[in-house]
Amino acid sequence: MIGAHIMAAGVPADMTFHDLRHTFASTALAEGVPISEVSRWPGHESIATTVDLYGHLVPEVSERARTRAEQRPRHRSPH
């Protein structure tokens, strides 16, 4: 019965559970769900795991990091 629903939804026959999990997490992040929340859903033990896997999908995080790095004073080496 569930197979019929999966096929009706247009899910490719060769899609694995892992593929579905990854797609779900990626889509949630793309829709603006906080990465801390997305981290809990697949049961990641640490948010670091989620950031490592999906951090590139959260553009505002990358932008904040870039802005902070640019604003940081640069230290010159004494040599």
Side-chain angles (χ1 to χ4, degrees):
M1 178 159 146
I2 196 164
H5 293 291
I6 291 171
M7 290 183 70
V11 176
D14 63 342
M15 185 170 266
T16 66
F17 179 77
H18 179 79
D19 295 335
L20 289 171
R21 182 179 167 181
H22 182 74
T23 300
F24 174 78
S26 300
T27 302
L29 289 169
E31 292 297 320
V33 176
I35 199 164
S36 58
E37 185 67 19
V38 173
S39 179
R40 293 178 340 150
W41 297 341
H44 292 160
E45 289 189 26
S46 166
I47 193 171
T49 301
T50 312
V51 171
D52 288 346
L53 292 170
Y54 303 105
H56 66 284
L57 299 174
V58 187
E60 64 272 8
V61 172
S62 297
E63 184 61 32
R64 277 195 304 249
R66 187 174 18 266
T67 300
R68 286 185 183 144
E70 289 170 354
Q71 292 172 348
R72 201 169 160 190
R74 297 179 190 248
H75 298 284
R76 293 187 180 177
S77 173
H79 304 295

